Each structure stands twice: as structure tokens, then as C-alpha cells.
């Protein structure tokens, strides 16, 4: 066998002042580590008055449900997980029990697990997401609290893990709140619970906790990044292997366990047509951690989005994290991701807007593998409490957590900071701060937000939003033909939009009940929705500099704001596909338009 000639580079590390706010100690790339899944049936206790947490004077009690006590006559213990019901983790609770359909409040979860702890290892509990607030206890000891329903978090439990039986209790509270992110009003179902996987991670005493690897923004023939070790250790050697590029890069971390590097390399670029990923290994004296990394550049030039140096039209669709085929519920696994993204591909998409919150990691990784670029957003949605500094910190924490988790996923091209937020000075200052924070954490992607259109003169549409000045891509939602007039209005308007930035229409569309047919003038019929999409496309094709569209929405999704019996039945029916996978007539209108755009792009190459 031809011996691979391996070029070994020793790269001197230089200490960089990390000007970004320090990322939380989140462990990334869980799937590649030594893990024990804690998914399965957990016991649960519904606790609407948080009796398991507060005493009768509303002070935190020392004798709460988190102690996971056993019945022991004559002791007075007014709870017992062992004789309680069970909920599946990962899953929302709303779709598991009829009595929990509308439930918003506190539910206690408990699982027990045996563990054979090894002295030379460290142990972490990792939660992919818990909606909305989680307080985690191990063997009666509080590990910490996490706020935010869609981002991962973990706690080290090396000192708290017992050999043998362990009790893990999680207090989950999905109550909507004015100071929440999102706030208490949003158009999707407030699915509560441990909605994504829980994992026990075992690591060496010193391990690769975090890293970044990407193509240099400035030089196509350069890759760059950094690696962060975790553990009490001085400078360590880390070798970055990229076998297919015949690279074995020797790195030396500094006293903080970090090394920043750049290295000449000419990888094949990732694109929707060729979603090339390279196997990489981070090798230390204690472990070898693998990942698959794609390399690409994303920038803008005038009103074009530029991928790998070439303009690209992002043929997208908006997607909620709604489970297909299960009559609602949070989507959570690889199969759900493949179904939803497979439908997007069928529609001719090379792009998707993951609305309105960070989706599970399967969605991001499956999209990367399938060649689908992504817009990822934090749920700064509608009427956020702009003047509350804790709310801004919460939004920043969620942005930091999702950038930590997904920064190595090359298919994410846009971070979005807001959706349809009402104009005010306080809102502008809040979002400017969030944009600056996001750019500080990740200067390699575009930043946008879904603003709102305005009819500033009869038939003249624009977007009057000072936030646009701070964004790389000028995005907005518009519903001419559904909320604003009827489809014929699309032919009577013109748009006045900036010419110096790419324009992305982040929502347009209308509702239809799958299988309801009639004249195209009858709202809720597939024919009405089809006609609306035809009229919308005629209007969109007149917009100069239109670089991307993500119609609202791929699939019908549950929302308590949609009660119309016989038509909505607690579903927002703007899906191009029903929640049972039935394609509506408008799906084919979008598919044919995207096919036409793709063909035109190919002809212009
Ligand atoms: C808004 C909002 C969506 C909502 C949609 C609708 O644009 O961003 O979250 O679902 O309108 O009214 O269907």
C-alpha cells in the first residue's frame, strides 16, 4: 500500500487575547465521545404550585422533591417518584398525556442509573435542551439552573457521581413569562419538558472540550482555528489530523489549554451541490476525538450572497421543529430531521430557515450532509421586554450556546437575532448589542433578522427599520395576499428596498387545509393558497436584488393561536405540506419556481 507521505507541521501557538466574551464551558461534539444515554422512560410528578420546591411561605425548601425520598412509615413524605407515572425522554410532555396537552407549569422528572465510576475519568451530565427552565439535582444536590428552551448545557458531576445507584432529578418549568426569551406571546405550541436527549459523558482527566476549524476568510488556501483543552494541565500537545488532506498538524496549547493556529491547505469546498466533509481527528495523549468538517466561505457583495466566491440564490423554506406524522409534538431525532429536510430537498431547496429558535443538532448535521444551508435564530420574537438587562443577557446566553454548539457546521450561513420585533429605541439598542455580541463570537457568518414590511404609500412597500443598517442581509416577513389584502394585491404593489445589501424574504405565504378544495377565491382551500403563491412569485420576481426566500412554512404546526374548528384545530395551516406529509397544491408552485431559478443559475454559470 502506498505509504501516505505525511507532512508534519509544528505550529507555534501564540497567545491571543480572546476578545469575545468567554464562551460557557459547554462540551461540544457529544456524539463522538464516550457516552451513556440517559434517554428512556423517566418518572414524573406534575407540580403546578411548585410544592416540591417551595415551602408554604414560598421560600425554597430543603426537603423538596429533589431528595427523591422513599416512602418510610411513619415519616410524612407526600410524594413518591417510584409510584408516579412515566414520561419518555426526549419528548415534550404535551403530546404524551391528554391531561398535559395544554399544561404550562412545573413538572419534576426523575431517573435513576447505576454507574461504575473510574478514578482516572471525569463525568458530565449533558442536556441537549429542556424547555424552558431546568434545575438539575444529582443525589439531592443542586447542580445548577439553565434558562432557555432550545440550547444545550452541561454540569460536571465527577465529585457527585456515586458508584452504584444515582438519582437524577430535573425540575422543568415551561411557564411563559414577560421577561422570557421568547416572551409570553408566540405563534407556536409551548411544548414543555426534556425535549432533547440527556447524556452522561465520560472524559479523560484532560480532554478536548471545544474547538473551531474553518477555511480562512482571507485566504482560500488556508485553514484556521483553535482548540481548547479542559483540565488542570500546563501546555499540552494536540495533533490535528486531516487524513484526506494528508495533514498532521502538531499544536502546543498555552497555559490555559488553548492553541490558535492557521495552516496552509486547499480543501475541496462544501456547497449544496457538493457537500464535501472531511474527517478530522483531535489527538492528545489521552484521547482522539473525531468530527466531520466542511470548508467554505460566505460573504456578500452588493446585493448578492456569495458562497465560495460565487453568487448564489438561497432557495429556502422556513421550518418549525414540529414532529411529522405524530399529530404534533417537538421533532427531536435523526428520522424527524431526515423527513423534514427530505421534503425541503424535494421542493428544490438548498437553504432552510430554522424558525424561531435553535433546532436540535440532528437538523443541523443532516442539513450539512444533505447540502442545505441554514439560517439559525434565537427566539427574540415579537414583544420582548427590551429594557430588562436580564433579558438581553438571556438572549446573549442562548446565542452563545448555539454558536458554541454549531460553529463548526459550515452549512450555517446566517445567525438571526430577532423576528418581527416592534420598533422602539430600547429595541434597537437591545438588538444592536446582540448583533455586536454575535459578531464578536463569530465573525465568519452573516447576521440578519426578520424585520417587517411597511406600506408607506398606497401600493409602495418598503421596510422602515433602523436595524437594517446593522445587518449583513436585509430580511423581512411579508404577507401580502393573506394578512394584507387578497392575492390580487400582489400585482398592484412595488417594492422600494436597499440596493446595497442582499434581500431575503424570510416569510410569505398563507393557509390551506389539506384536502379542502374549491374556488381559488375561497380562503382555506388549496386553490386559494396555490393562487396566493402564484401571485406572490409574480411579485417577488420584480424585486431587484432578491437573493433568498424562505416561505412560511414547510409543514403545518401546532399553535394555540389557531383554534378555528374544522380548519385549524390548533394548527397553523400555512404549511406547504400537512403534518401528515400530504403535499398541498402550493408545494408544487414553489417547487417549479425553484427549479426555474436553479436552471437559470446553471445557465448563467
Ligand atoms: C409571523 C411570525 C410567524 C407566524 C406567522 C403566521 O410572520 O413570524 O411566527 O407563525 O406570522 O402568522 O403564521
Amino acid at each position: 500500500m502506498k505509504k501516505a507521505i505525511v507532512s508534519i507541521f509544528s505550529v507555534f501557538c501564540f497567545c491571543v487575547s480572546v476578545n469575545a466574551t468567554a464562551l460557557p464551558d459547554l462540551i461540544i461534539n457529544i456524539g463522538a465521545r464516550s457516552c451513556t444515554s440517559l434517554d428512556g422512560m423517566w418518572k414524573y410528578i406534575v407540580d403546578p404550585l411548585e410544592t416540591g420546591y417551595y415551602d408554604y411561605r414560598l421560600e425554597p425548601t430543603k426537603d423538596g422533591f429533589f431528595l427523591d425520598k422513599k416512602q418510610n412509615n411513619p415519616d410524612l413524605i407526600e410524594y413518591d417518584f417510584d409510584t408516579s407515572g412515566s414520561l419518555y425522554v426526549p419528548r415534550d410532555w404535551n403530546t404524551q398525556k391528554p391531561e398535559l396537552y395544554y399544561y404550562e407549569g412545573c413538572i419534576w422528572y426523575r431517573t435513576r442509573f447505576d454507574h461504575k465510576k473510574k478514578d482516572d475519568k471525569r463525568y458530565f451530565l449533558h442536556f441537549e435542551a429542556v424547555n424552558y427552565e431546568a434545575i438539575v439535582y444529582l443525589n439531592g444536590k443542586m447542580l445548577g439552573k439553565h434558562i432557555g428552551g432550545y440550547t444545550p448545557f452541561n454540569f460536571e458531576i465527577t465529585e457527585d457521581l456515586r458508584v452504584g445507584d444515582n438519582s437524577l432529578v430535573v425540575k422543568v418549568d415551561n411557564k411563559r413569562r414577560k421577561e422570557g426569551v421568547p416572551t409570553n406571546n408566540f405563534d407556536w405550541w409551548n411544548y414543555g419538558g426534556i425535549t432533547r436527549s440527556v447524556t452522561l459523558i465520560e472524559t479523560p482527566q484532560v480532554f478536548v472540550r471545544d474547538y473551531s476549524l474553518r477555511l480562512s476568510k482571507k485566504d482560500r488556501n488556508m485553514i484556521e482555528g483553535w482548540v481548547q483543552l479542559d483540565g488542570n494541565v500546563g501546555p499540552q500537545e494536540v495533533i490535528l489530523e486531516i487524513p484526506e488532506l494528508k495533514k498532521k498538524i502538531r499544536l502546543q496549547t498555552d497555559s490555559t489549554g488553548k492553541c490558535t493556529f492557521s495552516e496552509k491547505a486547499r480543501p475541496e469546498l462544501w456547497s449544496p451541490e457538493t457537500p464535501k466533509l472531511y474527517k478530522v481527528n483531535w489527538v492528545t495523549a489521552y484521547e482522539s476525538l473525531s468530527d466531520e468538517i466542511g470548508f467554505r466561505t460566505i460573504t456578500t457583495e452588493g446585493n448578492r450572497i456569495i458562497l465560495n466566491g460565487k453568487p448564489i440564490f438561497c432557495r429556502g423554506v422556513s421550518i418549525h421543529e414540529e414532529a411529522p406524522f405524530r399529530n404534533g409534538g417537538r421533532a427531536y431525532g435523526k428520522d424527524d430531521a431526515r423527513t423534514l429536510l427530505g421534503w425541503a430537498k424535494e421542493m428544490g431547496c438548498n437553504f432552510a430557515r430554522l424558525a424561531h429558535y435553535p433546532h436540535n443538532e440532528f437538523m443541523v448535521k443532516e442539513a450539512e450532509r444533505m447540502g442545505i444551508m441554514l439560517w439559525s435564530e434565537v427566539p427574540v420574537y415579537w414583544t420582548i421586554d427590551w429594557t430588562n438587562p436580564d433579558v438581553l443577557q438571556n438572549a446573549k446566553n442562548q446565542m452563545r450556546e448555539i454558536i458554541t454548539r454549531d460553529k463548526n457546521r459550515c452549512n450555517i450561513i446566517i445567525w438571526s437575532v430577532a423576528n418581527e420585533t416592534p420598533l422602539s429605541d430600547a429595541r434597537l439598542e437591545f438588538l444592536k448589542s446582540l448583533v455586536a455580541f454575535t459578531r464578536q463570537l463569530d465573525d465568519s457568518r452573516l447576521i440578519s433578522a426578520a424585520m417587517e414590511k411597511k406600506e408607506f404609500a398606497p401600493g409602495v412597500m418598503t421596510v422602515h427599520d433602523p436595524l437594517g443598517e446593522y445587518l449583513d442581509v436585509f430580511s423581512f416577513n411579508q404577507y401580502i395576499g393573506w394578512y394584507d389584502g387578497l392575492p390580487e394585491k400582489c400585482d398592484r404593489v412595488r417594492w422600494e428596498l436597499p440596493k446595497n445589501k442582499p434581500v431575503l424574504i424570510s416569510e410569505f405565504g398563507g393557509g390551506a387545509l389539506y384536502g379542502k378544495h374549491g374556488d381559488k377565491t375561497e380562503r382555506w382551500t388549496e386553490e386559494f393558497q396555490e393562487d396566493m403563491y402564484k401571485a406572490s412569485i409574480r411579485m417577488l420576481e420584480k424585486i431587484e436584488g432578491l437573493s433568498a426566500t424562505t416561505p412560511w412554512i414547510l409543514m403545518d404546526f401546532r399553535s394555540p393561536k389557531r383554534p378555528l374548528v374544522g380548519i385549524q384545530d390548533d394548527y397553523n395551516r400555512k404549511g406547504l405540506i400537512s403534518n401528515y406529509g400530504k403535499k398541498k397544491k402550493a408545494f408544487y408552485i414553489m417547487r417549479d419556481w425553484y427549479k426555474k431559478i436553479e436552471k437559470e443559475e446553471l445557465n448563467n454559470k
Side-chain angles (χ1 to χ4, degrees):
M1 181 186 76
K2 186 167 169 271
K3 200 156 174 272
I5 300 163
V6 172
S7 54
I8 292 184
F9 289 86
S10 60
V11 176
F12 291 100
C13 270
F14 42 94
C15 268
V16 283
S17 64
V18 179
N19 55 9
T21 311
L23 291 177
D25 293 350
L26 194 63
I27 301 173
I28 68 166
N29 194 4
I30 305 309
R33 298 179 186 274
S34 171
C35 292
T36 305
S37 172
L38 297 179
D39 290 350
M41 299 306 280
W42 290 41
K43 293 293 189 177
Y44 78 100
I45 296 171
V46 182
D47 185 8
L49 279 80
E50 299 178 82
T51 305
Y53 187 77
Y54 293 108
D55 64 19
Y56 76 124
R57 291 292 183 250
L58 211 51
E59 294 294 334
T61 174
K62 289 186 176 50
D63 193 20
F65 291 2
F66 45 84
L67 295 181
D68 187 9
K69 282 185 175 175
K70 302 280 163 270
Q71 287 300 304
N72 181 26
N73 189 49
D75 296 351
L76 174 59
I77 301 169
E78 297 182 86
Y79 70 95
D80 180 1
F81 281 110
D82 290 340
T83 56
S84 299
S86 294
L87 284 174
Y88 196 80
V89 167
R91 273 280 293 277
D92 59 276
W93 63 56
N94 310 76
T95 56
Q96 293 194 57
K97 307 280 181 188
E99 66 274 20
L100 297 180
Y101 179 64
Y102 285 111
Y103 183 70
E104 294 182 298
C106 166
I107 287 188
W108 294 85
Y109 284 76
R110 193 280 327 260
T111 190
R112 302 187 77 96
F113 61 95
D114 275 345
H115 205 74
K116 297 170 187 52
K117 195 172 144 182
K118 300 166 194 156
D119 292 341
D120 63 339
K121 300 295 184 188
R122 292 168 67 187
Y123 295 91
F124 297 82
L125 276 177
H126 184 274
F127 294 80
E128 287 291 338
V130 178
N131 189 39
Y132 169 79
E133 176 191 281
I135 305 180
V136 180
Y137 303 84
L138 184 67
N139 302 323
K141 177 189 169 190
M142 179 173 167
L143 300 178
K145 176 194 281 192
H146 182 267
I147 290 178
Y150 306 94
T151 49
F153 56 98
N154 46 233
F155 302 106
E156 179 156 11
I157 56 169
T158 307
E159 301 312 317
D160 307 299
L161 194 57
R162 283 195 302 231
V163 175
D165 182 43
N166 290 273
S167 163
L168 171 59
V169 175
V170 184
K171 178 182 181 289
V172 179
D173 189 334
N174 77 331
K175 275 194 295 295
R176 286 166 294 112
R177 51 207 79 188
K178 178 178 179 297
E179 74 285 358
V181 179
T183 184
N184 43 10
N185 183 26
F186 47 84
D187 188 20
W188 66 85
W189 206 268
N190 183 26
Y191 291 120
I194 304 179
T195 50
R196 297 179 193 160
S197 287
V198 183
T199 308
L200 175 61
I201 306 172
E202 178 185 89
T203 74
Q205 287 296 329
V206 174
F207 67 97
V208 175
R209 186 187 74 228
D210 196 359
Y211 51 85
S212 166
L213 179 59
R214 66 190 195 192
L215 192 70
S216 162
K217 282 173 61 175
K218 303 184 189 75
D219 182 348
R220 156 76 180 91
N221 298 311
M222 188 72 78
I223 58 176
E224 61 188 17
W226 50 265
V227 59
Q228 177 66 63
L229 297 183
D230 189 304
N232 301 324
V233 64
Q236 286 282 313
E237 178 175 77
V238 181
I239 299 175
L240 170 60
E241 296 174 344
I242 313 177
E244 207 179 328
L245 294 177
K246 297 184 176 46
K247 286 288 177 187
K248 202 164 190 171
I249 307 165
R250 223 174 267 283
L251 306 170
Q252 199 69 29
T253 61
D254 60 21
S255 58
T256 70
K258 182 158 191 171
C259 181
T260 299
F261 64 92
S262 59
E263 171 76 15
K264 278 206 140 331
R266 191 172 171 79
E268 181 186 336
L269 300 183
W270 183 96
S271 72
E273 295 74 26
T274 55
K276 174 69 180 170
L277 298 174
Y278 283 86
K279 184 163 188 291
V280 305
N281 303 311
W282 299 95
V283 183
T284 71
Y286 317 94
E287 66 175 334
S288 175
L289 186 70
S290 298
D291 200 345
E292 289 196 301
I293 299 286
F295 299 97
R296 55 100 185 100
T297 58
I298 189 75
T299 56
T300 62
E301 274 170 26
N303 61 13
R304 309 308 299 165
I305 293 174
I306 306 293
L307 177 74
N308 299 330
K310 296 193 193 81
I312 186 167
F313 189 95
C314 298
R315 309 186 303 272
V317 69
S318 294
I319 303 177
H320 254 303
E321 195 181 46
E322 182 82 16
F325 303 122
R326 293 202 294 274
N327 192 21
R330 270 278 160 260
Y332 58 84
K334 190 178 280 191
D335 292 348
D336 287 343
R338 285 179 171 167
T339 300
L340 295 169
L341 295 166
W343 288 337
K345 288 288 271 191
E346 273 186 66
M347 202 167 91
C349 294
N350 62 4
F351 180 58
R353 176 187 179 193
L354 301 187
H356 279 296
Y357 37 74
H359 285 213
N360 66 76
E361 206 169 8
F362 290 111
M363 280 295 279
V364 178
K365 287 187 168 178
E366 284 306 303
E368 188 180 46
R369 189 181 58 79
M370 295 164 76
I372 296 177
M373 297 176 286
L374 294 178
W375 155 311
S376 183
E377 66 187 77
V378 288
V380 176
Y381 181 98
W382 288 356
T383 52
I384 291 285
D385 183 3
W386 306 110
T387 56
N388 182 334
D390 294 343
V391 175
L392 176 58
Q393 192 52 56
N394 181 348
K396 287 181 175 179
N397 288 343
Q398 293 189 43
M399 184 62 89
R400 192 169 49 197
E401 288 165 349
I402 202 56
I403 289 178
T404 302
R405 187 192 79 179
D406 289 346
K407 61 186 171 298
N408 294 307
R409 305 279 71 84
C410 68
N411 61 322
I412 294 178
I413 61 169
I414 293 175
W415 298 119
S416 172
V417 297
N419 179 72
E420 290 193 356
T421 48
L423 304 192
S424 73
D425 293 344
R427 168 259 192 190
L428 182 59
E429 288 315 303
F430 182 108
L431 293 179
K432 279 167 61 178
S433 177
L434 187 54
V435 167
F437 179 76
T438 304
R439 219 179 283 285
Q440 198 182 39
L441 288 181
D442 181 1
D443 64 357
S444 72
R445 291 177 170 88
L446 307 175
I447 295 179
S448 194
M451 300 178 281
E452 287 181 288
K453 64 103 178 139
K454 186 176 173 58
E455 186 165 9
F456 81 104
V460 183
M461 301 293 164
T462 186
V463 176
H464 268 310
D465 189 330
L467 180 63
E469 178 189 341
Y470 302 92
L471 305 179
D472 299 313
V473 177
F474 198 87
S475 306
F476 62 94
N477 301 342
Q478 67 81 24
Y479 281 94
I480 296 175
W482 180 260
Y483 290 121
D484 177 358
L486 293 171
E488 56 76 31
K489 182 169 180 177
C490 293
D491 295 314
R492 290 191 284 113
V493 300
R494 65 179 171 82
W495 288 88
E496 293 200 350
L497 297 165
K499 303 274 187 289
N500 63 334
K501 287 186 179 179
V503 171
L504 186 159
I505 298 189
S506 35
E507 288 182 37
F508 68 94
L513 176 65
Y514 172 77
K516 182 178 178 62
H517 294 287
D519 187 85
K520 67 180 182 180
T521 59
E522 186 187 350
R523 199 180 284 266
W524 300 114
T525 61
E526 287 194 47
E527 286 72 20
F528 182 100
Q529 186 189 43
E530 178 188 42
D531 181 52
M532 213 220 70
Y533 267 84
K534 286 178 181 173
S536 297
I537 288 169
R538 287 196 300 271
M539 176 180 71
L540 299 184
E541 290 192 321
K542 295 175 196 158
I543 297 178
E544 194 193 334
L546 182 62
S547 287
T549 53
T550 50
W552 193 262
I553 187 168
L554 178 71
M555 186 185 84
D556 292 350
F557 62 95
R558 277 200 183 282
S559 168
K561 298 174 85 73
R562 311 294 173 171
L564 179 58
V565 171
I567 297 284
Q568 296 176 317
D569 297 318
D570 290 344
Y571 274 93
N572 182 313
R573 292 291 184 198
K574 295 189 183 68
L576 290 158
I577 301 175
S578 78
N579 55 298
Y580 282 101
K582 301 291 185 190
K583 296 179 179 71
K584 303 172 191 176
K585 295 175 88 168
F587 172 90
Y588 301 99
I589 301 301
M590 277 307 301
R591 185 195 63 181
D592 293 348
W593 187 47
Y594 279 170
K595 279 192 187 321
K596 178 183 155 198
I597 290 174
E598 189 177 11
K599 198 160 166 238
E600 284 167 2
E601 271 193 340
L602 288 172
N603 294 342
N604 293 340
K605 274 195 172 162

